[in-house]
Amino acid sequence: MSEISSQPTLSMGSLGGTVSMQAGAPGQGITPQVDCAALLASVPQLADLARVRAKTLCLVPSASLGFAQLIDVLEWARQEIEQGAQGVVLTQGTDTLEETAYFFDLLWPFEQPLVVTGAMRSASQPGGDGPANLLAAAQVALAGNSRGRGVLVVMNDEIHAAARVRKTASLTVAAFTSPGHGREGLVVEGVPLYRQPARPRRVLPIPRRSEHCVALLEATLDADTRLLEAIPALGYAGVVIAGFGAGHVSATWAHALQTIAQRMPVLVATRTGNGPTAMSTYGFVGAEIDLRQKGLHMAGALCPRKCRILLWLLLANGLQASLEEYLHP
């Protein structure tokens, strides 16, 4: 009895996704069916690591998650930490995992780690990776050297920083990478090994408002400006552009975005998936020097999808004036 009581406490919440999916009728595909208790039962080794408090928070594909729901998840996780949990593990679908992890990371104020994981193969497929990912995520969440690192993503025994991780493959098990940066560490024989010490973090307050929207559009060859010109009238509070190359758009887009930037924040990121936007290299109309002169912000290494999340949270707290501090710390 004393051995059990001396174990650390780990909290685990399930949001659904492939890790919770099984096949129903033949030919109808897999759907979320496996709750948190069943996930826990699939990894009996967890009982040797910690006393686990498990809760099914929802069972949905991750494409159907929303910001308001994620704030509720954070509130649950906060209560778990305040009740003594040494770490928190969340399981969810991988389609939006890189986005939700960054959303959580910007709002997670605790030294204790919040670890997000999932699966690329369903619970009913041979070689399903969910149990192994869940075990590795728990090992990371309970480790002392994981403290102070904010939100971490653990997949395929790799540890990634929430701000850098991307889903870069649609179906393979090794779907998550951190382009341009590399993984934070590895789980080796159940022990997380990190490449470098924890870095200082900036944490935003929980949003005071949630009704605003931020648009995300991608620059493409010979694209017209009709969607851009419609944005102000549609009630958006900000715009993110996934630009060409080092953060470029066409001359016609540059002029349209200059008009929009007089009314709301406009960020330009790179659509390439690897590397930062430039700041002072190209001088043509629609390049970074011109766009900055027009009042736009260059996103640096932050990907377009995460730019949208950052801008949404800054707007929610009335902190959009500090955007550059988050993009270029």
Side-chain angles (χ1 to χ4, degrees):
M1 188 71 177
S2 59
E3 180 181 351
I4 295 177
S5 62
S6 67
Q7 284 186 311
T9 298
L10 176 71
S11 295
M12 176 178 143
S14 174
L15 305 180
T18 299
V19 68
S20 69
M21 293 188 185
Q22 287 185 334
Q28 291 186 357
I30 57 175
T31 56
Q33 300 180 41
V34 181
D35 65 13
C36 200
L39 284 176
L40 186 60
S42 71
V43 192
Q45 298 90 334
L46 287 175
D48 298 326
L49 299 178
R51 292 182 294 115
V52 182
R53 297 197 295 246
K55 183 171 184 178
T56 302
L57 300 170
C58 61
L59 279 177
V60 298
S62 65
S64 294
L65 293 170
F67 291 157
Q69 192 171 15
L70 297 183
I71 292 171
D72 291 340
V73 171
L74 274 173
E75 173 60 21
W76 168 82
R78 180 191 65 79
Q79 293 176 6
E80 293 299 304
I81 293 296
E82 291 177 351
Q83 292 171 12
Q86 185 165 323
V88 176
V89 172
L90 291 173
T91 64
Q92 68 155 86
T94 59
D95 283 349
T96 64
L97 191 149
E98 64 185 270
E99 295 170 80
T100 60
Y102 184 58
F103 184 94
F104 292 142
D105 189 54
L106 287 170
L107 300 171
W108 186 248
F110 301 105
E111 284 289 300
Q112 295 91 328
L114 173 61
V115 181
V116 187
T117 191
M120 293 300 297
R121 292 176 180 158
S122 72
S124 58
Q125 284 182 281
D129 54 327
N133 287 340
L134 183 54
L135 178 60
Q139 291 162 339
V140 169
L142 292 167
N145 59 348
S146 297
R147 293 177 64 87
R149 297 179 183 271
V151 177
L152 299 167
V153 170
V154 175
M155 295 286 293
N156 204 31
D157 281 341
E158 295 185 337
I159 309 168
H160 295 272
R164 297 171 175 174
V165 69
R166 303 282 297 274
K167 185 176 182 180
T168 54
S170 59
L171 293 171
T172 180
V173 171
F176 284 82
T177 61
S178 293
H181 299 281
R183 63 202 176 206
E184 289 289 289
L186 289 170
V187 181
V188 179
E189 295 184 322
V191 178
L193 304 178
Y194 292 98
R195 297 166 53 205
Q196 55 192 1
R199 295 177 290 272
R201 304 175 58 239
R202 297 186 66 175
V203 178
L204 287 166
I206 296 296
R208 299 193 300 249
R209 54 187 287 244
S210 61
E211 72 281 358
H212 59 292
C213 295
V214 175
L216 171 56
L217 297 174
E218 181 173 309
T220 57
L221 181 65
D222 199 29
D224 63 77
T225 60
R226 281 177 287 185
L227 287 176
L228 286 179
E229 292 164 355
I231 282 175
L234 294 174
Y236 284 97
V239 181
V240 175
I241 302 297
F244 301 111
H248 302 155
V249 298
S250 67
T252 55
W253 271 43
H255 293 307
L257 289 169
Q258 181 180 22
T259 300
I260 296 172
Q262 295 170 2
R263 303 180 58 174
M264 66 188 73
V266 179
L267 279 71
V268 180
T270 173
R271 70 179 197 177
T272 62
N274 192 351
T277 56
M279 294 293 283
S280 58
T281 299
Y282 293 92
F284 59 83
V285 177
E288 69 277 1
I289 294 175
D290 173 65
L291 295 177
R292 294 177 70 197
Q293 291 173 345
K294 286 179 165 62
L296 281 67
H297 302 269
M298 305 307 295
L302 197 62
C303 80
R305 294 185 287 275
K306 291 176 181 176
C307 282
R308 175 176 167 266
I309 290 169
L310 173 62
L311 182 54
W312 190 90
L313 285 171
L314 289 173
L315 287 164
N317 284 290
L319 296 173
Q320 57 269 29
S322 62
L323 177 58
E324 287 289 333
E325 299 174 18
Y326 283 86
L327 293 173
H328 309 286

